[in-house]
């Protein structure tokens, strides 16, 4: 016998908080572009060509690809998704803040940009994994659509905010825009759950009293065989 029994419905507060946290992670998708407004000033400071300075944003793309490969392997292990996400955001913060203290060597700036690219690539991939693991099916499609919007919004904050800082107080202060990454870290700590709740939809559950199907089949066969034997006996 089957009885209808609903699975626990996810708390609306859980869904809303998790959704905001995941979208905050996706806003890190253009973090490496924050330094682009200072290309000219950096080129002048280090006596470099514009092509050389552009490596600050082109080289991190390689590390974004590397991050995609790493996240694919790490998410297949037992590592916690929130821990991975926090680590990715921290990489962006470290890569963004170090040039504020050490900015006399262009190679070091490249190294920091690569750290940002690694963290950015991890955030981009993890946002998709978080959606599929943390949110119910009814929320996944709409949230995936919003990730592009939040990625662009994050890009606006990084590029325009960084440009404004550089214009007001020099190219080094362009890196202060990575305070935005610190804000994202706080949001992730606060809103993204450590473990995903059950994301299955309400469904039918089999009653705890099992039905012995083999015995019912045998009973039906015996009844049918008995009827046939009785019919044959009446013919003779």
């Amino acid at each position: 016998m089957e009885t209808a029994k609903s699975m626990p419905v996810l708390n609306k507060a859980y869904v809303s908080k998790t959704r905001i946290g995941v979208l905050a992670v996706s806003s890190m998708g253009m973090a490496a572009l924050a330094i682009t407004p200072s290309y000219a000033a950096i080129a002048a400071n280090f006596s470099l060509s514009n092509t050389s300075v552009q490596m600050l944003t082109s080289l991190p793309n390689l590390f974004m690809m590397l991050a995609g490969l790493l996240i694919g392997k790490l998410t297949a292990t037992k590592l916690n998704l929130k821990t991975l996400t926090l680590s990715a955001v921290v990489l962006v913060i470290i890569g963004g803040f170090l040039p504020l203290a050490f900015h006399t060597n262009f190679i070091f700036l490249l190294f920091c940009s690569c750290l940002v690219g690694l963290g950015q690539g991890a955030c981009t991939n993890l946002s998709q994994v978080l959606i599929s693991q943390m949110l119910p099916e009814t929320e996944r499609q709409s949230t995936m659509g919003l990730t592009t919007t939040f990625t662009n919004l994050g890009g606006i904050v990084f590029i325009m905010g960084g440009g404004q800082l550089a214009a007001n107080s020099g190219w080094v202060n362009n890196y202060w825009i990575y305070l935005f990454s610190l804000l994202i870290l706080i949001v992730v700590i606060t809103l993204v759950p450590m473990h995903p709740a059950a994301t299955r939809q309400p469904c039918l559950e089999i009653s705890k009293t099992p039905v012995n199907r083999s015995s019912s089949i045998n009973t039906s066969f015996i009844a049918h065989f008995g009827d046939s034997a009785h019919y044959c006996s009446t013919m003779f």
Side-chain angles (χ1 to χ4, degrees):
M1 181 178 179
E2 292 186 353
T3 57
K5 185 177 180 181
S6 297
M7 296 296 295
V9 179
L10 288 180
N11 191 312
K12 286 186 177 180
Y14 165 86
V15 174
S16 299
K17 288 169 59 178
T18 305
R19 198 179 191 194
I20 294 171
V22 172
L23 291 173
V25 174
S26 67
S27 69
M28 302 292 288
M30 293 189 181
L33 298 179
I35 199 64
T36 53
S38 296
Y39 274 172
I42 294 173
N45 185 77
F46 292 102
S47 302
L48 298 171
S49 65
N50 289 332
T51 303
S52 299
V53 175
Q54 286 174 7
M55 290 178 66
L56 289 171
T57 51
S58 59
L59 192 59
N61 290 332
L62 295 176
F63 285 82
M64 288 177 61
M65 295 171 60
L66 177 61
L69 296 174
L70 289 174
I71 293 300
K73 291 185 177 295
L74 291 175
T75 52
T77 65
K78 293 182 179 180
L79 288 176
N80 186 271
L81 284 178
K82 183 172 183 176
T83 303
L84 285 175
T85 305
L86 291 173
S87 301
V89 179
V90 167
L91 278 176
V92 176
I93 294 172
I94 293 173
F97 281 176
L98 281 178
L100 291 169
F102 309 101
H103 47 262
T104 57
N105 189 307
F106 182 72
I107 300 299
F108 184 75
L109 295 182
L110 279 178
F111 169 75
C112 292
S113 293
C114 291
L115 287 181
V116 173
L118 192 63
Q120 173 184 319
C123 286
T124 301
N125 286 275
L126 283 168
S127 64
Q128 303 301 314
V129 178
L130 289 170
I131 290 171
S132 63
Q133 297 290 327
M134 299 286 188
L135 293 174
E137 292 181 11
T138 53
E139 299 290 336
R140 292 173 190 170
Q141 188 172 358
S142 59
T143 306
M144 284 184 180
L146 286 171
T147 55
T148 303
T149 301
F150 274 76
T151 298
N152 291 329
L153 287 173
I156 291 171
V157 171
F158 278 114
I159 296 171
M160 293 187 65
Q164 198 65 32
L165 289 169
N168 291 337
S169 50
W171 68 268
V172 174
N173 290 302
N174 191 154
Y175 285 97
W176 280 112
I177 194 58
Y178 285 102
L179 282 171
F180 179 66
S181 303
L182 189 59
L183 175 62
I184 298 300
L185 181 69
I186 295 171
V187 171
V188 172
I189 292 172
T190 307
L191 300 183
V192 175
M194 184 60 72
H195 301 287
T199 56
R200 288 179 292 177
Q201 299 302 311
C203 60
L204 290 176
E205 187 179 76
I206 303 300
S207 173
K208 290 184 179 180
T209 304
V211 177
N212 194 331
R213 296 183 181 273
S214 60
S215 63
S216 64
I217 293 172
N218 291 336
T219 304
S220 299
F221 175 78
I222 292 169
H224 177 72
F225 180 79
D227 290 341
S228 300
H230 175 72
Y231 176 73
C232 291
S233 65
T234 57
M235 289 182 64
F236 299 98

